[in-house]
Amino acid sequence: MSIVVVGTIGYDTIDTNHGGVKEALGGSGSFFALASRFFAPVSVVAAVGTDFRPEHWQLFRERSIDVRGMARIDGPTFRWHGRYHEDMNIRDTVSLALNVFDGFKPDLLPDQQRADYVFLSNISPDLQLHVLNQIQSPKMVAADTMNHWIANERAGLLKLLPRVDLLTLNDEEARMLSGESNLVRAGRMILKMGPDTVLVKRGEYGVLKFSKDTMFAVPAWPLEEVIDPTGAGDTFAGALMGWLARSGRVNESILRTGIVYGSVLASFCVEKFSVERIAALTWEDIEERYRAFIELTDSHHSRWMSQ
Ligand code: AMP
């Protein structure tokens, strides 16, 4: 089953203590689509400017990502500049320019309106709602958000949440949205705002899932070196939604497997700057790390039981 995603497509400038990149392909929609394409067909709703480079159209098309819903608008493409601290779980936004996304109100294509799986990735809650309002009868609506929107468009976000089945956000954002410093209390509080499932992303410490009756936690795949955490969250969501769409239904067990696939893809994302690693990834890479991930977390593994 196919997925529709709305989110930013743009150019990122990233500084870290060990180097950086200028004007590299980024945006929540880019990372999401490059991850979800391994599992299910994905169609992107976004705006790019006249300066969006031909090789990037090609990069999406060559990876079977449906770009018919990517409007080319007169003006500059979305830009973001971020700077990571020595502790790479912490970053500052140096600058943010919505550019062609400012006031963007797309009309979805008829086949996009019939999508079963919808991901409202990080973008203004107004635009997230505008897209959701056009989807006829979605099976699953998931959304992501960011400190910028929680601080500046809180009312819009609170209007969106009752219509969302699953919300992903990072730990700092969960605290900001709920006003609770304890993450478990924050997760429970956000459940009351509407979503049935809340996934709190904790960078190198993994993911915590909250739903009414259960909690579930997975670690991040331990890496010796993290080059660039940008897009890890969107990559995580892309693989998770991809897995749900591929499964064709959603239950606790399918969600948990999806969270593991999300963590696997996110671990590849951070190994290189921008989309470099996930654009070059193969299905064999994914399966190999998936198996290793299961082994990493399986305390009843038969190989050790027999010793
Ligand atoms: P993540 O690291 O998963 O939070 O995603 C970072 C990506 O989101 C970058 O590639 C940025 O281009 C994009 N981004 C940064 N700030 C925003 C924002 N306020 N709204 C939408 N996208 C953003």
Side-chain angles (χ1 to χ4, degrees), residues 139-156:
K139 268 197 172 157
M140 168 92 188
V141 178
D144 185 54
T145 192
M146 205 170 179
N147 48 10
H148 178 82
W149 306 112
I150 299 172
N152 300 307
E153 291 196 25
R154 193 181 169 85

mmCIF file of all heavy atoms in Angstrom, residues 139-156:
data_model
loop_
_atom_site.group_PDB
_atom_site.id
_atom_site.type_symbol
_atom_site.label_atom_id
_atom_site.label_comp_id
_atom_site.label_asym_id
_atom_site.label_seq_id
_atom_site.Cartn_x
_atom_site.Cartn_y
_atom_site.Cartn_z
ATOM 1 N N LYS A 139 -5.929 4.912 6.569
ATOM 2 C CA LYS A 139 -5.884 3.827 7.560
ATOM 3 C C LYS A 139 -5.044 4.232 8.747
ATOM 4 O O LYS A 139 -5.266 3.777 9.859
ATOM 5 C CB LYS A 139 -5.177 2.609 6.921
ATOM 6 C CG LYS A 139 -6.086 1.645 6.252
ATOM 7 C CD LYS A 139 -5.330 0.339 6.051
ATOM 8 C CE LYS A 139 -6.286 -0.717 5.560
ATOM 9 N NZ LYS A 139 -5.666 -1.780 4.853
ATOM 10 N N MET A 140 -4.033 5.047 8.458
ATOM 11 C CA MET A 140 -3.088 5.401 9.524
ATOM 12 C C MET A 140 -2.513 6.792 9.231
ATOM 13 O O MET A 140 -1.971 7.028 8.159
ATOM 14 C CB MET A 140 -1.967 4.355 9.478
ATOM 15 C CG MET A 140 -0.764 4.688 10.290
ATOM 16 S SD MET A 140 -1.014 3.941 11.890
ATOM 17 C CE MET A 140 0.342 4.611 12.782
ATOM 18 N N VAL A 141 -2.641 7.677 10.202
ATOM 19 C CA VAL A 141 -2.073 9.026 10.064
ATOM 20 C C VAL A 141 -0.994 9.193 11.124
ATOM 21 O O VAL A 141 -1.259 9.041 12.325
ATOM 22 C CB VAL A 141 -3.151 10.115 10.267
ATOM 23 C CG1 VAL A 141 -2.534 11.513 10.169
ATOM 24 C CG2 VAL A 141 -4.286 9.951 9.275
ATOM 25 N N ALA A 142 0.209 9.487 10.687
ATOM 26 C CA ALA A 142 1.287 9.730 11.633
ATOM 27 C C ALA A 142 1.859 11.116 11.377
ATOM 28 O O ALA A 142 1.751 11.644 10.269
ATOM 29 C CB ALA A 142 2.368 8.669 11.500
ATOM 30 N N ALA A 143 2.446 11.702 12.415
ATOM 31 C CA ALA A 143 3.001 13.051 12.262
ATOM 32 C C ALA A 143 4.259 13.206 13.100
ATOM 33 O O ALA A 143 4.493 12.464 14.048
ATOM 34 C CB ALA A 143 1.966 14.097 12.691
ATOM 35 N N ASP A 144 5.052 14.184 12.689
ATOM 36 C CA ASP A 144 6.259 14.545 13.416
ATOM 37 C C ASP A 144 6.198 16.056 13.617
ATOM 38 O O ASP A 144 5.459 16.744 12.902
ATOM 39 C CB ASP A 144 7.489 14.174 12.566
ATOM 40 C CG ASP A 144 8.793 14.401 13.294
ATOM 41 O OD1 ASP A 144 8.948 13.866 14.401
ATOM 42 O OD2 ASP A 144 9.666 15.109 12.752
ATOM 43 N N THR A 145 6.943 16.562 14.568
ATOM 44 C CA THR A 145 7.016 18.013 14.699
ATOM 45 C C THR A 145 8.369 18.399 15.269
ATOM 46 O O THR A 145 9.230 17.548 15.452
ATOM 47 C CB THR A 145 5.839 18.567 15.525
ATOM 48 O OG1 THR A 145 5.810 19.984 15.376
ATOM 49 C CG2 THR A 145 5.935 18.185 16.998
ATOM 50 N N MET A 146 8.557 19.672 15.521
ATOM 51 C CA MET A 146 9.870 20.154 15.943
ATOM 52 C C MET A 146 9.714 21.347 16.883
ATOM 53 O O MET A 146 8.668 22.014 16.875
ATOM 54 C CB MET A 146 10.624 20.587 14.680
ATOM 55 C CG MET A 146 12.113 20.549 14.792
ATOM 56 S SD MET A 146 12.798 20.802 13.148
ATOM 57 C CE MET A 146 14.518 20.760 13.514
ATOM 58 N N ASN A 147 10.765 21.633 17.666
ATOM 59 C CA ASN A 147 10.719 22.739 18.625
ATOM 60 C C ASN A 147 10.184 24.037 18.008
ATOM 61 O O ASN A 147 9.382 24.744 18.610
ATOM 62 C CB ASN A 147 12.099 22.952 19.280
ATOM 63 C CG ASN A 147 13.231 22.988 18.271
ATOM 64 O OD1 ASN A 147 12.989 23.040 17.070
ATOM 65 N ND2 ASN A 147 14.458 22.963 18.758
ATOM 66 N N HIS A 148 10.610 24.318 16.769
ATOM 67 C CA HIS A 148 10.184 25.551 16.098
ATOM 68 C C HIS A 148 8.656 25.675 16.059
ATOM 69 O O HIS A 148 8.095 26.731 16.356
ATOM 70 C CB HIS A 148 10.762 25.556 14.675
ATOM 71 C CG HIS A 148 10.354 26.744 13.858
ATOM 72 N ND1 HIS A 148 10.984 27.959 13.957
ATOM 73 C CD2 HIS A 148 9.356 26.902 12.956
ATOM 74 C CE1 HIS A 148 10.406 28.810 13.139
ATOM 75 N NE2 HIS A 148 9.411 28.200 12.513
ATOM 76 N N TRP A 149 7.968 24.589 15.711
ATOM 77 C CA TRP A 149 6.502 24.646 15.560
ATOM 78 C C TRP A 149 5.811 24.593 16.924
ATOM 79 O O TRP A 149 4.767 25.213 17.113
ATOM 80 C CB TRP A 149 6.002 23.511 14.656
ATOM 81 C CG TRP A 149 6.713 23.506 13.339
ATOM 82 C CD1 TRP A 149 7.585 22.560 12.874
ATOM 83 C CD2 TRP A 149 6.664 24.527 12.324
ATOM 84 N NE1 TRP A 149 8.078 22.922 11.653
ATOM 85 C CE2 TRP A 149 7.527 24.121 11.287
ATOM 86 C CE3 TRP A 149 5.984 25.745 12.197
ATOM 87 C CZ2 TRP A 149 7.731 24.884 10.138
ATOM 88 C CZ3 TRP A 149 6.179 26.500 11.051
ATOM 89 C CH2 TRP A 149 7.035 26.071 10.046
ATOM 90 N N ILE A 150 6.415 23.859 17.873
ATOM 91 C CA ILE A 150 5.826 23.803 19.218
ATOM 92 C C ILE A 150 5.864 25.206 19.832
ATOM 93 O O ILE A 150 4.906 25.653 20.471
ATOM 94 C CB ILE A 150 6.576 22.789 20.122
ATOM 95 C CG1 ILE A 150 6.491 21.381 19.522
ATOM 96 C CG2 ILE A 150 6.017 22.797 21.545
ATOM 97 C CD1 ILE A 150 7.357 20.344 20.218
ATOM 98 N N ALA A 151 6.965 25.922 19.597
ATOM 99 C CA ALA A 151 7.101 27.265 20.175
ATOM 100 C C ALA A 151 6.249 28.292 19.430
ATOM 101 O O ALA A 151 5.630 29.150 20.044
ATOM 102 C CB ALA A 151 8.571 27.682 20.158
ATOM 103 N N ASN A 152 6.192 28.190 18.113
ATOM 104 C CA ASN A 152 5.579 29.274 17.328
ATOM 105 C C ASN A 152 4.177 28.996 16.802
ATOM 106 O O ASN A 152 3.476 29.922 16.406
ATOM 107 C CB ASN A 152 6.489 29.641 16.140
ATOM 108 C CG ASN A 152 7.856 30.098 16.616
ATOM 109 O OD1 ASN A 152 7.941 30.993 17.446
ATOM 110 N ND2 ASN A 152 8.906 29.453 16.147
ATOM 111 N N GLU A 153 3.779 27.705 16.721
ATOM 112 C CA GLU A 153 2.436 27.412 16.177
ATOM 113 C C GLU A 153 1.744 26.344 17.009
ATOM 114 O O GLU A 153 1.203 25.365 16.485
ATOM 115 C CB GLU A 153 2.539 26.997 14.700
ATOM 116 C CG GLU A 153 2.947 28.156 13.832
ATOM 117 C CD GLU A 153 2.694 27.932 12.357
ATOM 118 O OE1 GLU A 153 1.804 27.133 11.997
ATOM 119 O OE2 GLU A 153 3.416 28.553 11.566
ATOM 120 N N ARG A 154 1.802 26.554 18.319
ATOM 121 C CA ARG A 154 1.264 25.579 19.260
ATOM 122 C C ARG A 154 -0.238 25.319 19.042
ATOM 123 O O ARG A 154 -0.683 24.173 19.068
ATOM 124 C CB ARG A 154 1.516 26.099 20.682
ATOM 125 C CG ARG A 154 1.305 25.069 21.714
ATOM 126 C CD ARG A 154 1.526 25.617 23.114
ATOM 127 N NE ARG A 154 1.044 24.638 24.041
ATOM 128 C CZ ARG A 154 1.768 23.617 24.475
ATOM 129 N NH1 ARG A 154 3.010 23.484 24.088
ATOM 130 N NH2 ARG A 154 1.257 22.727 25.288
ATOM 131 N N ALA A 155 -0.998 26.376 18.791
ATOM 132 C CA ALA A 155 -2.454 26.222 18.649
ATOM 133 C C ALA A 155 -2.769 25.307 17.463
ATOM 134 O O ALA A 155 -3.620 24.412 17.555
ATOM 135 C CB ALA A 155 -3.111 27.580 18.473
ATOM 136 N N GLY A 156 -2.090 25.518 16.353
ATOM 137 C CA GLY A 156 -2.302 24.696 15.156
ATOM 138 C C GLY A 156 -1.952 23.235 15.436
ATOM 139 O O GLY A 156 -2.644 22.301 15.020
#
